[in-house]
Amino acid sequence: MENSAAGPLSGLLVADFSRVLAGPYATMLLADMGADVVKVEGPQGDETRTWMPPVRGDVSTYYLGVNRGKRSIALDLREEADAAVALELATRADVVIENFKPGGLTKYGLDYDTVKNTNPGTVYASISGFGSGDGRHVPGYDLMVQAISGLMSLTGDPDGPPYRAGISVFDVMAGNHAVIGILAALRHRDTTGEGQHVEVNLLSSALTGLVNHSSAYAAGGVVPYRMGNAHPSVFPYEPLPTADNDLIVAAANDGQFRRLCEVLDLPDVPDDPRFARNADRTKNREELRPILVERLGTKTAVDWFEALTKVGVPCGPINTIDGGFAMAERFGLDPIVEVGEGERAVPTTRHPIRFSATPAAYRLPPPELDEHGAELRAWLTTPEGEDG
């Protein structure tokens, strides 16, 4: 069964045994880039199908958001015949991706060691919460990892409780890391013919994703704590009030700060020794903030956004999601694309990467459960070389 897409991953077959977010997000990105992704679901389907509201029609928008471009086959891996179909799919696939608990596919004969015996070139990607070592038995959900990693201790008001991020940030990050690992392993296979096992876990993704905070601890022995919307090392780099709404101001270097002060008509401030360098501004932020706020209060957030961006000062209004999409439209980013036709057409967020020669394609709407089961079973039960 040939994949007719012309994307950069055209011709790759991906057997997707993942569910919920990290794995499906990764395989959606691969599908956008031309891979033929077969989504293997249990008889009840991916649980995000039932995560509602919100819905579009009677389908969860959560499920719709991470499953375009795939074909679905429902298999009960506890049944010998269905497990055989699944193994045949894994045997033919270039990439296998799964997010069962580590070792969870062994009883079905779908673990890496078994699959590589029949498909030594497979790139087999596993996503877990806490790795395949001592943390292999701990269930891995993003909220748990936000707590355990320390992210929640960094999020929220200094005098208030810790907060989770507004999205499952480490599921998304781990999905991206899985894609990076898969592509790197495919490059290795192109050179050597050798497949390999790629392992990604949410906690490791979290710790690398905490970047400067992780470095503060690992390299400096400093345990950072939440500062609300303030930045520990840069000022101004936070929301500041204007005549109507708050405006994010991110003047992260001396040149940007000088231009900020010029627009705010504060010509003497950049040469004040208390504020001349970033380290000075960060140290004396409580003295500098009211000076900036007084001037910002004379115009609206949008007025300041227009004036400051003209001179290259990073800033932006705090939007709701609809405002974010509107801003992307304004900048010509075309953030929404439609996948599918007629009643199956679904508006969805554009793939984030632009390719000049092999653009992303949106070929299939998110599949109904087992929508392609009959054709896939017929293909997988026909010996290779006899399927046309």
Side-chain angles (χ1 to χ4, degrees):
M1 183 173 291
E2 296 294 329
N3 177 15
S4 61
L9 301 183
S10 176
L12 285 177
L13 176 63
V14 178
D16 181 7
F17 291 90
S18 70
R19 63 191 200 282
V20 187
L21 181 51
Y25 181 73
T27 55
M28 180 183 73
L29 296 180
L30 297 174
D32 290 347
M33 293 186 284
D36 180 7
V37 177
V38 176
K39 182 178 178 67
V40 179
E41 303 184 71
Q44 304 305 312
D46 188 319
E47 47 264 63
T48 60
R49 290 180 179 274
T50 64
W51 286 9
M52 53 182 73
V55 297
R56 180 179 177 85
D58 59 355
V59 182
S60 159
T61 59
Y62 198 123
Y63 170 79
L64 293 177
V66 291
N67 283 291
R68 65 175 177 244
K70 308 173 188 181
R71 294 180 292 160
S72 170
I73 181 171
L75 297 173
D76 187 343
L77 299 180
R78 296 168 297 184
E79 299 291 335
E80 185 176 345
D82 278 6
V85 170
L87 180 58
E88 180 63 24
L89 173 62
T91 298
R92 299 188 187 191
D94 298 284
V95 176
V96 175
I97 184 167
E98 58 89 14
N99 62 351
F100 283 67
K101 283 186 182 180
L105 283 175
T106 302
K107 59 186 174 184
Y108 306 121
L110 291 166
D111 55 292
Y112 172 63
D113 288 337
T114 302
V115 170
K116 77 172 181 178
N117 286 334
T118 56
N119 185 2
T122 188
V123 171
Y124 189 110
S126 297
I127 303 174
S128 65
F130 303 98
S132 58
D134 292 343
R136 64 187 180 277
H137 299 304
V138 182
Y141 281 83
D142 183 273
L143 180 58
M144 294 170 55
V145 179
Q146 289 197 34
I148 290 171
S149 68
L151 174 65
M152 290 180 65
S153 76
L154 300 169
T155 308
D157 187 84
D159 299 320
Y163 275 95
R164 66 180 288 269
I167 63 162
S168 296
V169 61
F170 295 138
D171 270 331
V172 174
M173 195 175 292
N176 280 316
H177 289 157
V179 171
I180 294 168
I182 288 167
L183 296 179
L186 287 170
R187 171 67 174 137
H188 174 76
R189 190 185 74 170
D190 288 345
T191 304
T192 67
E194 178 186 43
Q196 62 181 299
H197 192 186
V198 175
E199 294 189 70
V200 174
N201 70 82
L202 270 65
L203 183 55
S204 293
S205 287
L207 295 179
T208 190
L210 291 174
V211 286
N212 56 302
H213 295 298
S214 292
S215 182
Y217 172 70
V222 174
V223 177
Y225 290 95
R226 57 190 172 277
M227 299 176 61
N229 288 314
H231 193 287
S233 307
V234 182
F235 186 85
Y237 197 93
E238 62 187 58
L240 297 171
T242 70
D244 55 0
N245 300 313
D246 282 358
L247 179 76
I248 293 292
V249 178
N253 62 50
D254 295 344
Q256 291 171 348
F257 180 68
R258 184 170 291 276
R259 293 194 296 276
L260 169 67
C261 291
E262 289 172 355
V263 173
L264 295 183
D265 194 22
L266 296 169
D268 298 329
V269 169
D271 297 317
D272 187 317
R274 295 174 298 168
F275 313 132
R277 299 173 304 161
N278 175 69
D280 303 319
R281 295 189 292 275
T282 302
K283 177 182 177 181
N284 299 305
R285 68 175 72 207
E286 297 307 321
E287 297 174 58
L288 177 55
R289 184 184 288 107
I291 297 172
L292 300 178
V293 168
E294 181 180 7
R295 291 295 300 142
L296 287 167
T298 62
K299 295 182 181 179
T300 68
V302 171
D303 288 338
W304 286 122
F305 172 71
E306 300 290 351
L308 290 169
T309 53
K310 284 181 181 178
V311 298
V313 176
C315 66
I318 300 175
N319 292 324
T320 50
I321 294 290
D322 55 332
F325 275 91
M327 192 71 80
E329 288 281 3
R330 171 182 169 178
F331 296 151
L333 299 179
D334 302 323
I336 296 178
V337 295
E338 193 166 89
V339 58
E341 299 178 354
E343 294 182 356
R344 293 293 301 280
V346 178
T348 184
T349 308
R350 179 179 294 278
H351 186 90
I353 302 171
R354 301 269 181 158
F355 296 90
S356 65
T358 55
Y362 311 96
R363 295 168 292 129
L364 296 171
E368 297 175 357
L369 179 60
D370 203 40
E371 179 177 347
H372 307 91
E375 67 183 69
L376 288 166
R377 284 183 180 83
W379 173 55
L380 291 167
T381 54
T382 301
E384 285 195 276
E386 299 181 16
D387 56 358

